Amino acid sequence: MIVSLVGSDGAGKSTVSRLATERLFAAGTRAERVDRWDIIDNADYPATLFMRPDVLNTRICVAEMPSTSRFLFLMWSVTHALLGRTPEAGRPDKVTLLDGYWMKHAAGEIVYGLDSAWVEGVVSGLPRSEQVIYLRLDPHRAWERKVGRDVVPYECGMDPECSRDSFLTHQSRILGVLDDWAEQFGWLTVDAGEPLDEVVGRVVSTVSALSTTEQR
């Protein structure tokens, strides 16, 4: 069973997915967290051992790609992270929490100019999520979380200065695409501005309910 945690930059996808997975596992649910960058320097993914073992370097290089190539690479990387593991690593009986999946990057590349119909056509062929949990956060709150930490030009409309205005403008556009998809596809929207423990608890309760239904 695949559950995807999505949201714009700074929404807390990585933190929430990690804590939710830990809490689910502690409660007896066979849960695992998968991220697109798991494929780097990881023996569980023998087909990607040609990649340099440096996530930061990979992210920098990906941002330099033309938009079409970048989008296809990102979709390949997250799909391979999900499906390309060795049989020992990819247990089929687990609940898989996908950190981000295709949604944010697809929205970002639409904002960067890719045709939305083509993007949606590409992602329609990817494995389906039983549940998408949309961690929605106002860009102003996201900036407060990220400023002084790891803001990169890719998150700021390719502004090399990574200014506040460029971040807010770019992330607002991404948020608009994600909001439209949340309504169109019926995603579960969670206010990511709420206290972290409450957000994690909402994710855990949602996954637990899905897991119980699946077992029936």
Side-chain angles (χ1 to χ4, degrees):
M1 183 173 67
I2 301 172
V3 177
S4 297
L5 269 66
V6 307
S8 54
D9 293 298
K13 300 182 294 296
S14 296
T15 299
V16 172
S17 61
R18 176 177 55 80
L19 293 175
T21 301
E22 293 174 357
R23 193 176 298 184
L24 285 163
F25 194 82
T29 300
R30 297 189 62 82
E32 63 177 353
R33 174 182 175 273
V34 172
D35 174 78
R36 62 178 41 82
W37 305 123
D38 290 345
I39 66 175
I40 299 176
D41 195 27
N42 187 341
D44 286 337
Y45 296 92
T48 60
L49 295 180
F50 67 93
M51 299 178 69
R52 293 182 62 185
D54 186 331
V55 173
L56 178 59
N57 182 71
T58 300
R59 293 178 64 185
I60 293 172
C61 291
V62 170
E64 296 295 325
M65 294 179 181
S67 188
T68 302
S69 301
R70 181 172 59 232
F71 172 66
L72 291 174
F73 174 81
L74 289 167
M75 295 305 99
W76 169 79
S77 65
V78 71
T79 306
H80 192 68
L82 179 63
L83 302 176
R85 292 164 290 179
T86 61
E88 293 77 15
R91 293 289 298 271
D93 57 340
K94 287 184 177 180
V95 175
T96 298
L97 267 66
L98 272 176
D99 178 0
Y101 204 14
W102 57 263
M103 291 75 168
K104 193 274 291 187
H105 282 298
E109 296 305 331
I110 289 173
V111 170
Y112 277 126
L114 288 187
D115 179 72
S116 59
W118 180 75
V119 168
E120 292 184 18
V122 171
V123 301
S124 69
L126 302 182
R128 185 181 67 87
S129 300
E130 277 73 17
Q131 178 72 64
V132 177
I133 303 175
Y134 176 26
L135 304 180
R136 191 184 190 282
L137 187 67
D138 178 86
H140 292 82
R141 294 288 304 278
W143 174 258
E144 292 172 1
R145 290 181 176 183
K146 292 184 71 69
V147 66
R149 296 174 57 196
D150 58 350
V151 184
V152 296
Y154 180 70
E155 301 169 339
C156 303
M158 298 303 183
D159 171 19
E161 300 299 324
C162 297
S163 71
R164 177 180 181 275
D165 286 346
S166 63
F167 179 88
L168 295 179
T169 298
H170 187 67
Q171 294 301 320
S172 293
R173 292 171 178 167
I174 290 176
L175 202 69
V177 178
L178 293 175
D179 285 348
D180 288 344
W181 282 342
E183 182 176 357
Q184 178 182 348
F185 300 125
W187 297 348
L188 172 64
T189 300
V190 174
D191 182 359
E194 294 295 317
L196 177 60
D197 188 65
E198 293 183 16
V199 176
V200 173
R202 184 78 182 277
V203 172
V204 169
S205 63
T206 299
V207 174
S208 297
L210 285 169
S211 181
T212 300
T213 301
E214 185 83 4
Q215 292 173 3
R216 292 175 183 172

